[in-house]
Amino acid sequence: MAELDGFIAEFASFVWGLPLLILLTGGGLYLLILSKFLPFRYLRHSFEVLRGKYDNPDDPGEINHFKALSTALSSTIGMGNIAGVAVAIAIGGPGAMFWLWVSAIIGMATKFFTNTLAVMYRGRDTEGKLQGGPMYFIVEGLGKKWWVMAAFFSLAGLIGALPVFNVNQLTQAINYILLTPNGIEVDFYSNLIIGLVLAAITAVVIFGGLERISNTVSKLVPAMVALYFISVLLILFVNFEVVPQYFALIFTDAFAAENYAGEPFLGGMLGGLIILGIRRGAFSNEAGIGTAPMAHGAAKTTEPVREGLVAMLGPAIDTLVVCSLTGMAILVTGVWKTTDVNGVSLTAAAFDQSIPFYGNYLLLVCIAIFSVSSLFSYSYYGTKCLSFLIGAERKHYYNYFYVLSILIGATTSLSLMINLIDGFFALMAIPTMVSTLIMAPRVLKEAQRYFKKLKI
């Protein structure tokens, strides 16, 4: 197992090298400048679309704009926001937060372009149903000769969509917060029982299809963001005297990288810190990875730009709001300097210090909602990938593999799980970003037509 862990870690480090950083960050920055900062100029209109002002139940698609965003957010607002941010700060210090924010701002432009394409170039599966996602906009937008790139994305997505990291961290949270303090022995069998319970809950929802998934998460997502927001505000209130100090430290530490001991390139440790922030940012908001377009591609709309505008809110909510809350909670409590725990346990330590006794249990409720909602959405992404490769009538086979992977996630180490998903996320980003950059001028042309028609 140690050899496998090391191999997966090397694989993740290799694919998350300088070329991918340039593709994701440089590509996103190019899209932001090319669009003349469009995501920020039409924020108000995007909220109007999200509110349902332009909804038409007769439009093609399966779910409305709000449910599409909820489905996408239920996968991105997950353990990446709680455990992923903790990992980033534990390794890179406060400065990692700055690069998380940079990834979110750039990611808003990336999300606008990728999700507009997801509706512009929807395809039909073997059952004749309208589908969206990178695999479809690659083939429909660039032609059948690009099928190999679309298939590469789908193959990587079969592993990238597995819920192993979320399950692993939920299991760790239950052990750290609930079982160990109450004298219950934590071992392989206790982890397996947690995995079996999660597998049963997940199976009930995911075998019901997209409609049941979207209905469930559209109720869970607003509730979980509100509960987490209130919880962290309590922590910041308790530690209000040091909030300005640590907020300023995020900016000063971003270019110092004193706490990061990564691979030296791009200016030594600073380059390592940038890689860490962008990598954790991509894991958190998934901009450029290609998962969100699979959810937004199912939206009921005839206007691709509308869905792009709704989708771009994802990184803002996910990283600029939720990740920032987690980061500040860890920083102001000082647990990142005084404890050697990592991942979700570090966030739990922050909650326990500021809200004695109740804090841990409050976090556990948030984590449970975050993780379980993610379990539902990722299964949808995996079935879409398998459907593209071997036919929609066989896509349900993925759910059996998916449920089995929950047991693996519950009983395996954190480093193995996070590196596995990181690595395949990187592979998914390559075809997504390459095809998006090629077709970016088409998106701008469509946006000009849309805004001219609306006279916005």
Side-chain angles (χ1 to χ4, degrees), residues 229-433:
F229 186 80
I230 293 167
S231 302
V232 176
L233 283 182
L234 279 173
I235 293 175
L236 297 182
F237 178 75
V238 170
N239 300 277
F240 73 93
E241 71 280 355
V242 295
V243 169
Q245 171 194 336
Y246 280 108
F247 187 75
L249 189 60
I250 289 172
F251 295 91
T252 56
D253 199 58
F255 300 94
E258 294 171 358
N259 300 296
Y260 184 69
E263 297 176 10
F265 69 96
L266 275 181
M269 289 189 292
L270 174 59
L273 181 59
I274 295 170
I275 283 281
L276 176 70
I278 300 299
R279 185 168 162 180
R280 295 275 60 81
F283 185 77
S284 168
N285 60 52
E286 298 173 22
I289 304 301
T291 49
M294 289 190 269
H296 288 284
K300 283 181 175 290
T301 184
T302 55
E303 294 289 357
V305 172
R306 281 182 191 158
E307 200 54 37
L309 290 170
V310 168
M312 76 181 186
L313 295 173
I317 298 169
D318 173 275
T319 307
L320 295 180
V321 177
V322 184
C323 283
S324 298
L325 291 172
T326 302
M328 287 303 296
I330 292 170
L331 292 176
V332 300
T333 54
V335 293
W336 59 286
K337 294 185 293 185
T338 58
T339 180
D340 59 357
V341 294
N342 201 347
V344 70
S345 300
L346 185 60
T347 311
F351 270 69
D352 186 49
Q353 182 170 317
S354 295
I355 313 172
F357 185 74
Y358 297 106
N360 269 345
Y361 295 105
L362 196 58
L363 179 64
L364 186 58
V365 172
C366 293
I367 289 169
I369 300 172
F370 276 126
S371 297
V372 171
S373 65
S374 296
L375 296 184
F376 304 152
S377 297
Y378 275 121
S379 71
Y380 172 63
Y381 299 150
T383 56
K384 286 195 75 162
C385 289
L386 190 64
S387 172
F388 181 82
L389 292 169
I390 64 173
E393 61 278 1
R394 300 182 188 92
K395 67 181 180 182
H396 63 281
Y397 291 127
Y398 182 80
N399 282 335
Y400 298 108
F401 174 55
Y402 186 88
V403 170
L404 179 63
S405 77
I406 293 175
L407 305 182
I408 298 171
T411 54
T412 318
S413 74
L414 165 63
S415 60
L416 178 62
M417 294 299 97
I418 197 168
N419 284 321
L420 179 70
I421 302 303
D422 267 358
F424 280 91
F425 262 26
L427 296 181
M428 292 166 71
I430 296 168
T432 301
M433 287 302 295

Side-chain angles (χ1 to χ4, degrees), residues 11-216:
F11 157 70
S13 294
F14 172 75
V15 291
W16 273 102
L18 184 57
L20 186 68
L21 178 70
I22 293 171
L23 183 62
L24 265 179
T25 310
L29 191 59
Y30 166 76
L31 295 173
L32 189 61
I33 295 169
L34 184 70
S35 65
K36 298 176 182 175
F37 294 83
L38 184 147
F40 302 98
R41 289 189 286 124
Y42 294 103
L43 270 175
R44 180 179 174 182
H45 181 59
S46 64
F47 280 108
E48 289 176 348
V49 176
L50 181 64
R51 232 176 40 239
K53 183 177 179 180
Y54 300 94
D55 282 0
N56 183 349
D58 297 324
D59 281 347
E62 296 182 71
I63 52 180
N64 64 28
H65 295 291
F66 179 76
K67 287 183 179 179
L69 181 63
S70 295
T71 302
L73 280 176
S74 68
S75 62
T76 60
I77 299 182
M79 293 310 295
N81 302 82
I82 297 177
V85 174
V87 168
I89 292 175
I91 297 173
M97 284 301 303
F98 177 84
W99 297 108
L100 272 168
W101 292 340
V102 169
S103 78
I105 293 167
I106 294 172
M108 289 180 70
T110 304
K111 283 259 177 135
F112 171 75
F113 277 84
T114 55
N115 290 280
T116 299
L117 285 171
V119 178
M120 279 178 71
Y121 295 106
R122 289 196 271 205
R124 293 195 179 272
D125 59 24
T126 53
E127 292 179 342
K129 292 181 180 177
L130 207 58
Q131 300 288 356
M135 66 285 256
Y136 289 100
F137 68 63
I138 288 171
V139 172
E140 299 297 325
L142 298 176
K144 301 293 182 186
K145 63 181 181 293
W146 292 78
W147 185 88
V148 173
M149 182 185 279
F152 178 83
F153 170 85
S154 298
L155 283 168
L158 294 177
I159 304 298
L162 291 177
V164 287
F165 174 73
N166 283 309
V167 171
N168 177 277
Q169 288 297 276
L170 177 56
T171 304
Q172 183 179 319
I174 293 171
N175 291 339
Y176 184 87
I177 296 170
L178 195 61
L179 302 188
T180 303
N182 290 294
I184 300 173
E185 185 180 354
V186 172
D187 55 19
F188 173 84
Y189 297 103
S190 66
N191 290 342
L192 184 61
I193 291 169
I194 294 170
L196 287 168
V197 172
L198 291 175
I201 294 169
T202 304
V204 170
V205 175
I206 67 175
F207 284 101
L210 176 61
E211 188 63 31
R212 185 180 294 175
I213 292 171
S214 63
N215 284 338
T216 304

